[in-house]
Amino acid sequence: MSTTVDTAFAPVTFSEGAAKELYKLKDQQEIGEDYGLRVGVEGGGCAGMNYILGFDQRKDGDQEFLIDGIRVFMNKAHQMYLMGMMIDWQDGLNSRGFTFVNPNATSTCGCGTSFSA
């Protein structure tokens, strides 16, 4: 049984640049409609936890959100670490890639993909 939660209740948001880049990646990689963007965390990295961001199929324990027209899958257990986070896209000379603005992170590492809560 699939349930999609309204964007108003989604734990994360995308900047305009991030949403645009995600649409571009999905189109370039010819990602099928049965896939969504997995957002989550995993143990590791120099600060204790790494962010997960990539296209994947829905798994048991996932909650589905529709954010800016993008299907997002997130394990319910990860929401406490990611609530209120904004995913941004940087495309400058000094930085290129997705960045994570997480109000729950007590510290982050220099690479920006690892944090502790």
Side-chain angles (χ1 to χ4, degrees):
M1 182 172 162
S2 176
T3 58
T4 302
V5 177
D6 186 5
T7 304
F9 301 104
V12 300
T13 58
F14 301 129
S15 69
E16 184 178 332
K20 184 177 176 181
E21 186 65 21
L22 289 167
Y23 277 115
K24 185 170 119 181
L25 288 170
K26 187 175 180 191
D27 186 51
Q28 286 176 343
Q29 296 177 14
E30 298 177 2
I31 305 290
E33 292 302 314
D34 56 332
Y35 283 76
L37 182 70
R38 177 162 305 283
V39 178
V41 296
E42 64 185 0
C46 47
M49 300 183 92
N50 283 324
Y51 294 109
I52 299 170
L53 186 68
F55 291 101
D56 195 4
Q57 291 183 313
R58 188 176 175 139
K59 298 177 182 174
D60 288 339
D62 282 348
Q63 193 164 9
E64 182 176 342
F65 302 93
L66 188 61
I67 305 171
D68 294 333
I70 300 168
R71 286 178 76 189
V72 175
F73 302 140
M74 183 182 294
N75 185 296
K76 292 178 186 178
H78 297 190
Q79 291 182 26
M80 64 186 258
Y81 299 107
L82 302 176
M83 187 62 68
M85 182 175 76
M86 184 189 66
I87 300 172
D88 193 12
W89 171 256
Q90 300 292 316
D91 194 14
L93 294 174
N94 295 329
S95 176
R96 179 176 166 83
F98 290 101
T99 60
F100 305 90
V101 181
N102 188 345
N104 304 302
T106 57
S107 66
T108 59
C109 72
C111 68
T113 62
S114 181
F115 73 103
S116 62

